[in-house]
Amino acid sequence: ILQKSMSDKMGWNKEIIYEGVKIVKYLRRMRNLDDRCCVGQNALQIRKLKQLEYWYDGKDIIPEYIFEGKSIATAASMGRLFEVITSENLQGIPHGGSFSKKLTGTSQTWYVVLADCLLYLRDDEKLVPVLIKLENRNDGEAATWWAPPPQEVGEDHPQYLGWMLAKMYFRCADLNVYALSTHFARAHAVNEVFAVGAYRNLPNAHPILRFLQPHIQGIIAVNVQARAVLVNPGKNAFSLFLSSGDNLKTCV
């Protein structure tokens, strides 16, 4: 009932709202981010912890059970801590525009939330998120730190729901980095340069062209479609599911 009344009042697409509810239900069942960090889009972003000092401001809110009897310094010295830093790529990416007017009634400039995640490799080899940092530097807002709730907390408790929301923010930020920077810019766009150069200058029987063929085959045609549909100025497919969709050029 609430979904229907809000969609009627704000003019939102009911199908989008129902899809959003499905995502929330899925995230409630998602206990860990390990599968998405190791084989999902995080695979190229995750790295071993570089500086523990970066996470010092939020370390005190991490529940004791998380590190299985170890201190955070011990876990770091054992090489058990990893991090995914999206803030290096998303600083200053504005969005909002027509979508902000649809949601709030006025056109506003928002910014993609910077979200970084600290992960811990447990004794059972599960890679679990232990701390998330959310920040909006462009509006001068202070960073907020989010950690898993205590073990006795139920799924309807504000601490549990807050942690789930923080994971959603992180997943959104990470998808922005992956879709535009890692996937399109560093894979498709870079490969096209080599494809054009190879096809223009090397004969079909050239061993270097034969070596490159599996990696560049079809990339030019795919990129033509991507520039026409995914990353073209104005309305594009990415703007429908990426918060940086209003400013793809800056993100790329």
Side-chain angles (χ1 to χ4, degrees):
I1 297 175
L2 177 61
Q3 298 164 15
K4 184 179 186 303
S5 62
M6 287 300 293
S7 64
D8 292 339
K9 179 180 178 181
M10 303 300 294
W12 297 343
N13 188 314
K14 295 181 179 63
E15 293 182 359
I16 294 178
I17 294 178
Y18 294 145
E19 288 299 318
V21 172
K22 291 180 183 178
I23 293 173
V24 171
K25 290 181 178 179
Y26 168 74
L27 286 171
R28 289 181 75 100
R29 299 193 304 269
M30 188 179 72
R31 300 296 179 183
N32 305 318
L33 292 176
D34 59 314
D35 54 337
R36 288 144 194 87
C37 289
C38 295
V39 299
Q41 63 264 25
N42 272 340
L44 296 177
Q45 296 293 325
I46 190 170
R47 67 191 186 194
K48 185 164 286 189
L49 179 69
K50 287 187 174 181
Q51 293 183 336
L52 185 58
E53 292 77 9
Y54 180 78
W55 302 96
Y56 267 1
D57 291 342
K59 66 182 180 65
D60 292 336
I61 69 170
I62 302 176
E64 294 182 359
Y65 73 89
I66 291 294
F67 294 120
E68 303 171 306
K70 310 175 188 68
S71 67
I72 187 172
T74 302
S77 65
M78 295 174 62
R80 294 284 196 92
L81 293 181
F82 299 83
E83 59 187 0
V84 178
I85 307 295
T86 68
S87 56
E88 297 174 348
N89 299 283
L90 295 178
Q91 172 64 21
I93 307 296
H95 73 106
S98 59
F99 287 98
S100 68
K101 187 172 183 179
K102 182 176 289 188
L103 291 172
T104 66
T106 59
S107 182
Q108 303 176 22
T109 298
W110 299 335
Y111 291 91
V112 176
V113 174
L114 310 181
D116 301 328
C117 184
L118 179 69
L119 302 112
Y120 169 67
L121 183 64
R122 298 191 318 203
D123 294 338
D124 60 1
E125 298 187 352
K126 283 286 187 179
L127 191 65
V128 297
V130 299
L131 191 63
I132 292 178
K133 178 184 179 182
L134 303 180
E135 186 177 8
N136 183 0
R137 298 177 195 163
N138 300 280
D139 292 332
E141 297 179 5
T144 59
W145 299 89
W146 305 81
Q151 289 178 304
E152 65 274 10
V153 164
E155 294 188 357
D156 293 328
H157 193 279
Q159 284 184 276
Y160 179 90
L161 298 176
W163 175 238
M164 184 176 70
L165 181 61
K167 290 193 290 185
M168 292 173 65
Y169 267 107
F170 169 71
R171 291 279 292 147
C172 288
D174 184 64
L175 182 59
N176 277 274
V177 173
Y178 166 75
L180 293 174
S181 299
T182 306
H183 188 135
F184 177 75
R186 298 178 186 175
H188 283 263
V190 171
N191 278 5
E192 185 177 4
V193 176
F194 293 95
V196 172
Y199 287 133
R200 284 181 176 177
N201 297 284
L202 301 178
N204 290 337
H206 199 287
I208 293 182
L209 180 60
R210 294 292 183 91
F211 175 76
L212 293 175
Q213 191 70 32
H215 307 284
I216 62 177
Q217 187 173 10
I219 192 66
I220 297 177
V222 170
N223 283 2
V224 168
Q225 290 183 312
R227 286 190 289 271
V229 179
L230 294 179
V231 297
N232 60 307
K235 188 174 182 180
N236 53 72
F238 273 152
S239 67
L240 299 177
F241 61 90
L242 291 182
S243 54
S244 61
D246 292 344
N247 205 348
L248 297 180
K249 182 179 179 180
T250 304
C251 193
V252 172

